[in-house]
Amino acid sequence: MTPWVKTGGLGDVAAALPAAMRAAGLDVRILLPAYPALKAALPDATPLASFSALGRSVALRSATTPQGVPLYLLECDDWFERPGNPYLAPNGVDWPDNALRFGLLSRVAALLAGSDSPLDWRPDILHCNDWQTALAPAYLHYLPTTTSAASVITIHNLAFQGLFGRDLLPALELPDDAWTMDGVEYHGYLSFLKAGLQYADAITTVSQTYAQEIQTPADGMGLDGLLRYRADRLSGILNGIDTTQWNPASDPYLAATYDTVRLDKKTGNKAALRSELGLAVAVAVADMPLIGIVSRFTEQKGLDLVADIADALAGLPVQLAVLGNGMPEMEMAFRAMASRWPGQFAVHVGFDERLAHRIEAGADIFLMPSRFEPCGLNQMYSLRYGTLPIVRATGGLADTVIDASDTRRGNGFVFDQATPAALLAAIRRAVALWHDNPRRWKTLQRRGMSADFGWDLPARQYADLYQTLMQKI
């Protein structure tokens, strides 16, 4: 949950969606482990209860976010008071007891939804996210407790499934009869995510297109059969973005703020970004579009395709500003590009929230050539900042970016095949339009900047889903 703990888009969702739900009148509480960053940020959290779960002594403390959302912090210092990130040790290796750590989180979530809860407050809906809490619906199914709560599981990325050994079944306090094809067993593994998909009353994912894609063998990550079987419980609700944090008219990280009326001020951010990253600003490159990338360096994100067309990009010509980290071989490839074409390609390996904002504002074009993308947030940031996205037609990218060839609705550039040639063709189209038709370019910019990608609509859609579930229980 941003701003305290974040390893991906779920951190943004966990902060923004509950706040929007509360604004819509829902009584939302967030349960999450008391990680060191949270304990440091919320030292005055109030003790609520102490009890035992999965053989561990645990405690709950309450706090409130700056947006007014109540938090339940689950304390179990042996399992959560650790360096590194929630899933990985500082050396980048998975914590070996992740199954028990997140089994505990799931077990306590189910406990708070049942009649044995140590708290007076009871939820009508238990909403779980990804594999880390996906055992909770299974606990509601198997454990002898009375509950009227319905359960929802949201898939933020089907590729991460929480696979562990069968030998952990007793330690997780799951019965032997849970080990079936219709239970938690998945090709000889215990699958947290499969358990949630099997037993939740509703399944959602973070875009409409991704909800369809994951029902196919190509994108179902081995779970497409189960998802097709439960298709009547599956829907896609597109994520939103924090339109206060990501607002070019008031962004404190920018060299110059701007909006659709003062769009010419955006050029000041391009000049400042060039200066910051050491990109050339001589006359020879003054009329050169700047492409931005802010991403994890993984095969999913398709950034290897960018490295494959480096020579062609240098010759177009364009400038490139890259921020991200991930697979060592991709980091090396991008560093090599920056070394070979200094002043034209700039690469910052790591993550810097301020620089991410400045790239979104300073670039003319933003690149997201993902092989799959459940939702994606950066394409929405880019549209809001008047930076036209180039995306592959997949998942949430396909649901938010419409190709410029659509004269009424276009707001970016879309390509179909995850190949270097297809990506390069899309970039060539964008660069040609940038050079040849500035008026059309500004129309596309203003169209994207005027779209509503906030959380109000997703919050209402989740509220409607909750109401539907409550009518069935």
mmCIF file of all heavy atoms in Angstrom, residues 357-375:
data_model
loop_
_atom_site.group_PDB
_atom_site.id
_atom_site.type_symbol
_atom_site.label_atom_id
_atom_site.label_comp_id
_atom_site.label_asym_id
_atom_site.label_seq_id
_atom_site.Cartn_x
_atom_site.Cartn_y
_atom_site.Cartn_z
ATOM 1 N N HIS A 357 7.531 11.083 -12.771
ATOM 2 C CA HIS A 357 6.613 12.169 -13.111
ATOM 3 C C HIS A 357 7.213 13.066 -14.192
ATOM 4 O O HIS A 357 6.507 13.495 -15.117
ATOM 5 C CB HIS A 357 6.307 13.003 -11.860
ATOM 6 C CG HIS A 357 5.328 12.370 -10.925
ATOM 7 N ND1 HIS A 357 4.089 12.904 -10.652
ATOM 8 C CD2 HIS A 357 5.401 11.227 -10.195
ATOM 9 C CE1 HIS A 357 3.449 12.149 -9.792
ATOM 10 N NE2 HIS A 357 4.225 11.111 -9.495
ATOM 11 N N ARG A 358 8.508 13.351 -14.070
ATOM 12 C CA ARG A 358 9.128 14.265 -15.036
ATOM 13 C C ARG A 358 9.247 13.631 -16.420
ATOM 14 O O ARG A 358 9.166 14.341 -17.434
ATOM 15 C CB ARG A 358 10.482 14.712 -14.513
ATOM 16 C CG ARG A 358 10.360 15.618 -13.276
ATOM 17 C CD ARG A 358 11.645 16.358 -12.983
ATOM 18 N NE ARG A 358 12.684 15.479 -12.471
ATOM 19 C CZ ARG A 358 12.903 15.228 -11.176
ATOM 20 N NH1 ARG A 358 12.106 15.758 -10.261
ATOM 21 N NH2 ARG A 358 13.906 14.449 -10.794
ATOM 22 N N ILE A 359 9.426 12.308 -16.472
ATOM 23 C CA ILE A 359 9.437 11.635 -17.784
ATOM 24 C C ILE A 359 8.050 11.682 -18.404
ATOM 25 O O ILE A 359 7.897 11.939 -19.604
ATOM 26 C CB ILE A 359 9.959 10.194 -17.651
ATOM 27 C CG1 ILE A 359 11.464 10.199 -17.346
ATOM 28 C CG2 ILE A 359 9.676 9.389 -18.922
ATOM 29 C CD1 ILE A 359 12.045 8.828 -17.074
ATOM 30 N N GLU A 360 7.020 11.432 -17.591
ATOM 31 C CA GLU A 360 5.656 11.490 -18.125
ATOM 32 C C GLU A 360 5.353 12.871 -18.704
ATOM 33 O O GLU A 360 4.687 12.991 -19.735
ATOM 34 C CB GLU A 360 4.640 11.152 -17.027
ATOM 35 C CG GLU A 360 4.623 9.691 -16.600
ATOM 36 C CD GLU A 360 3.978 8.771 -17.624
ATOM 37 O OE1 GLU A 360 3.644 9.240 -18.730
ATOM 38 O OE2 GLU A 360 3.804 7.578 -17.311
ATOM 39 N N ALA A 361 5.837 13.918 -18.036
ATOM 40 C CA ALA A 361 5.539 15.275 -18.497
ATOM 41 C C ALA A 361 6.461 15.728 -19.618
ATOM 42 O O ALA A 361 6.036 16.475 -20.512
ATOM 43 C CB ALA A 361 5.649 16.249 -17.318
ATOM 44 N N GLY A 362 7.730 15.289 -19.591
ATOM 45 C CA GLY A 362 8.702 15.797 -20.541
ATOM 46 C C GLY A 362 8.730 15.067 -21.870
ATOM 47 O O GLY A 362 9.174 15.626 -22.875
ATOM 48 N N ALA A 363 8.266 13.828 -21.896
ATOM 49 C CA ALA A 363 8.293 13.059 -23.136
ATOM 50 C C ALA A 363 7.164 13.487 -24.073
ATOM 51 O O ALA A 363 6.116 13.974 -23.633
ATOM 52 C CB ALA A 363 8.200 11.570 -22.838
ATOM 53 N N ASP A 364 7.381 13.289 -25.351
ATOM 54 C CA ASP A 364 6.316 13.478 -26.343
ATOM 55 C C ASP A 364 5.497 12.197 -26.498
ATOM 56 O O ASP A 364 4.284 12.245 -26.757
ATOM 57 C CB ASP A 364 6.916 13.835 -27.705
ATOM 58 C CG ASP A 364 7.731 15.111 -27.667
ATOM 59 O OD1 ASP A 364 7.147 16.172 -27.404
ATOM 60 O OD2 ASP A 364 8.962 15.023 -27.875
ATOM 61 N N ILE A 365 6.179 11.060 -26.360
ATOM 62 C CA ILE A 365 5.607 9.743 -26.628
ATOM 63 C C ILE A 365 5.985 8.833 -25.461
ATOM 64 O O ILE A 365 7.083 8.959 -24.909
ATOM 65 C CB ILE A 365 6.166 9.153 -27.945
ATOM 66 C CG1 ILE A 365 5.795 10.046 -29.141
ATOM 67 C CG2 ILE A 365 5.695 7.720 -28.163
ATOM 68 C CD1 ILE A 365 6.624 9.748 -30.385
ATOM 69 N N PHE A 366 5.091 7.944 -25.089
ATOM 70 C CA PHE A 366 5.395 6.992 -24.019
ATOM 71 C C PHE A 366 5.233 5.582 -24.565
ATOM 72 O O PHE A 366 4.252 5.283 -25.246
ATOM 73 C CB PHE A 366 4.463 7.196 -22.823
ATOM 74 C CG PHE A 366 4.940 6.517 -21.572
ATOM 75 C CD1 PHE A 366 5.793 7.169 -20.701
ATOM 76 C CD2 PHE A 366 4.561 5.217 -21.272
ATOM 77 C CE1 PHE A 366 6.258 6.558 -19.547
ATOM 78 C CE2 PHE A 366 5.017 4.587 -20.140
ATOM 79 C CZ PHE A 366 5.868 5.253 -19.262
ATOM 80 N N LEU A 367 6.176 4.703 -24.223
ATOM 81 C CA LEU A 367 6.234 3.374 -24.835
ATOM 82 C C LEU A 367 5.846 2.293 -23.826
ATOM 83 O O LEU A 367 6.424 2.206 -22.749
ATOM 84 C CB LEU A 367 7.657 3.134 -25.338
ATOM 85 C CG LEU A 367 7.857 2.230 -26.562
ATOM 86 C CD1 LEU A 367 6.988 2.697 -27.713
ATOM 87 C CD2 LEU A 367 9.326 2.243 -26.958
ATOM 88 N N MET A 368 4.861 1.443 -24.197
ATOM 89 C CA MET A 368 4.449 0.287 -23.392
ATOM 90 C C MET A 368 4.183 -0.901 -24.319
ATOM 91 O O MET A 368 3.028 -1.216 -24.629
ATOM 92 C CB MET A 368 3.201 0.607 -22.564
ATOM 93 C CG MET A 368 3.432 1.637 -21.477
ATOM 94 S SD MET A 368 1.981 1.920 -20.421
ATOM 95 C CE MET A 368 1.941 0.391 -19.465
ATOM 96 N N PRO A 369 5.231 -1.598 -24.754
ATOM 97 C CA PRO A 369 5.053 -2.707 -25.707
ATOM 98 C C PRO A 369 4.802 -4.054 -25.029
ATOM 99 O O PRO A 369 5.355 -5.075 -25.422
ATOM 100 C CB PRO A 369 6.393 -2.701 -26.452
ATOM 101 C CG PRO A 369 7.386 -2.278 -25.402
ATOM 102 C CD PRO A 369 6.661 -1.314 -24.503
ATOM 103 N N SER A 370 3.959 -4.084 -24.013
ATOM 104 C CA SER A 370 3.797 -5.265 -23.155
ATOM 105 C C SER A 370 3.288 -6.480 -23.923
ATOM 106 O O SER A 370 2.394 -6.368 -24.773
ATOM 107 C CB SER A 370 2.828 -4.961 -22.018
ATOM 108 O OG SER A 370 3.253 -3.852 -21.260
ATOM 109 N N ARG A 371 3.833 -7.635 -23.562
ATOM 110 C CA ARG A 371 3.300 -8.886 -24.104
ATOM 111 C C ARG A 371 1.938 -9.190 -23.488
ATOM 112 O O ARG A 371 1.053 -9.701 -24.153
ATOM 113 C CB ARG A 371 4.287 -10.033 -23.841
ATOM 114 C CG ARG A 371 5.509 -9.973 -24.733
ATOM 115 C CD ARG A 371 6.440 -11.157 -24.526
ATOM 116 N NE ARG A 371 7.428 -11.221 -25.581
ATOM 117 C CZ ARG A 371 8.577 -10.531 -25.582
ATOM 118 N NH1 ARG A 371 8.859 -9.734 -24.552
ATOM 119 N NH2 ARG A 371 9.420 -10.624 -26.588
ATOM 120 N N PHE A 372 1.781 -8.912 -22.213
ATOM 121 C CA PHE A 372 0.457 -8.910 -21.600
ATOM 122 C C PHE A 372 0.468 -7.843 -20.519
ATOM 123 O O PHE A 372 1.499 -7.517 -19.949
ATOM 124 C CB PHE A 372 0.055 -10.282 -21.055
ATOM 125 C CG PHE A 372 0.849 -10.760 -19.859
ATOM 126 C CD1 PHE A 372 0.396 -10.533 -18.563
ATOM 127 C CD2 PHE A 372 2.045 -11.455 -20.036
ATOM 128 C CE1 PHE A 372 1.126 -10.986 -17.473
ATOM 129 C CE2 PHE A 372 2.768 -11.919 -18.950
ATOM 130 C CZ PHE A 372 2.316 -11.676 -17.655
ATOM 131 N N GLU A 373 -0.686 -7.274 -20.259
ATOM 132 C CA GLU A 373 -0.789 -6.174 -19.298
ATOM 133 C C GLU A 373 -2.197 -6.185 -18.713
ATOM 134 O O GLU A 373 -3.137 -5.706 -19.353
ATOM 135 C CB GLU A 373 -0.507 -4.837 -19.984
ATOM 136 C CG GLU A 373 -0.283 -3.684 -19.034
ATOM 137 C CD GLU A 373 0.995 -3.857 -18.230
ATOM 138 O OE1 GLU A 373 2.090 -3.880 -18.836
ATOM 139 O OE2 GLU A 373 0.882 -3.974 -16.995
ATOM 140 N N PRO A 374 -2.354 -6.752 -17.519
ATOM 141 C CA PRO A 374 -3.705 -6.843 -16.943
ATOM 142 C C PRO A 374 -4.447 -5.516 -16.968
ATOM 143 O O PRO A 374 -5.615 -5.465 -17.368
ATOM 144 C CB PRO A 374 -3.425 -7.315 -15.511
ATOM 145 C CG PRO A 374 -2.166 -8.122 -15.630
ATOM 146 C CD PRO A 374 -1.343 -7.402 -16.667
ATOM 147 N N CYS A 375 -3.815 -4.459 -16.535
ATOM 148 C CA CYS A 375 -4.423 -3.134 -16.623
ATOM 149 C C CYS A 375 -3.424 -2.138 -17.171
ATOM 150 O O CYS A 375 -3.588 -1.597 -18.244
ATOM 151 C CB CYS A 375 -4.942 -2.673 -15.250
ATOM 152 S SG CYS A 375 -5.610 -0.990 -15.303
#
